[in-house]
Amino acid sequence: MTEREKMLSGELYDSSDNELEQLRLHARKLARIYNLTDEDQQEVQTQILRELLPATEELPYLQAPVYFDYGCHTYFGKYSSANFNFTCLDVGEIHIGDNVMIGPNVTLATPMHPLLPEERNVRKREDGSLYTLEYAKPITIKDNCWLASNVVVCGGVTIGEGCVIGAGSVVTRDIPPYSLAAGNPCRVIRKITEKDHMILT
């Protein structure tokens, strides 16, 4: 297996692998260019996002600045958006559904590191070069979710359809569908029900 194949399958891998370094460099250059564009440069932004998010058919609205590890491992559904400072560490695959609203300063973090320091610490090759081993767990955010500002979603988490995640939450475990959840660690406060309808006058 290549290091990229190991990475995407959740096995320990060497992040200093040349293919991975080139993919990260490409994504970060594209994000840096995107972050220098203005909102009235929609054609330019679309062009950049098509290259940064090649697996996404209907591009999301991303308010610059944005940050990606790879881009090509992130999949957006239709009509989704992210506010300022969206950080997407897509070492593992990230699947974001339709109509997902992502507030400012949200981080989706798939990378994981071994708990034992002897497995986590820097290693040295015979040629003297240094490297570390890490692994990743995917993140899935189902349709119709809202992640409020400063939410962090950790690797291995699935957020069910129709959830609202309160500001400042750190989501370390799965959240069932149609839940209002918040806190650090994030916990379900209650179900979202028909009683939550807002009457428009």
Side-chain angles (χ1 to χ4, degrees):
M1 293 176 79
T2 66
E3 296 303 310
R4 186 180 183 187
E5 287 169 340
K6 291 178 189 176
M7 179 180 80
L8 291 171
S9 64
E11 296 184 22
L12 284 171
Y13 75 97
D14 176 2
S15 61
S16 70
D17 174 73
N18 184 62
E19 178 191 13
L20 296 178
E21 285 186 337
Q22 292 305 310
L23 285 170
R24 286 195 302 270
L25 181 63
H26 182 64
R28 290 170 186 176
K29 282 183 175 181
L30 288 171
R32 195 173 300 115
I33 295 167
Y34 185 84
N35 293 341
L36 294 174
T37 64
D38 294 314
E39 294 170 24
D40 60 357
Q41 295 177 281
Q42 291 181 358
E43 286 186 18
V44 176
Q45 289 184 334
T46 297
Q47 220 171 12
I48 297 166
L49 289 183
R50 284 257 171 260
E51 193 172 346
L52 181 60
L53 302 169
T56 294
E57 289 184 24
E58 190 159 333
L59 294 172
Y61 173 74
L62 301 181
Q63 176 67 61
V66 297
Y67 307 94
F68 286 85
D69 261 344
Y70 293 95
C72 56
H73 301 149
T74 298
Y75 304 80
F76 280 91
K78 297 182 292 186
Y79 313 125
S80 290
S81 63
N83 212 316
F84 298 104
N85 290 315
F86 176 54
T87 299
C88 190
L89 305 181
D90 55 343
V91 172
E93 289 188 354
I94 294 178
H95 292 265
I96 299 167
D98 298 341
N99 291 294
V100 173
M101 294 173 55
I102 298 173
N105 303 309
V106 167
T107 297
L108 308 181
T110 68
M112 310 291 288
H113 301 278
L115 296 179
L116 294 173
E118 60 267 27
E119 294 180 346
R120 183 175 63 243
N121 290 348
V122 174
R123 298 162 180 249
K124 184 180 286 189
R125 297 187 184 89
E126 289 183 7
D127 65 3
S129 62
L130 304 177
Y131 72 104
T132 58
L133 295 177
E134 62 178 54
Y135 64 106
K137 293 183 179 180
I139 290 172
T140 300
I141 300 168
K142 301 285 191 177
D143 297 345
N144 304 311
C145 288
W146 169 29
L147 279 58
S149 59
N150 295 294
V151 166
V152 175
V153 181
C154 297
V157 165
T158 294
I159 298 176
E161 181 175 357
C163 285
V164 175
I165 308 298
S169 297
V170 178
V171 190
T172 59
R173 59 185 62 186
D174 293 352
I175 305 294
Y178 292 94
S179 296
L180 173 62
N184 182 5
C186 187
R187 292 187 173 88
V188 174
I189 297 170
R190 64 175 176 84
K191 295 297 286 183
I192 296 171
T193 69
E194 294 296 314
K195 293 180 181 179
D196 290 302
H197 272 299
M198 297 183 69
I199 300 172
L200 301 177
T201 56

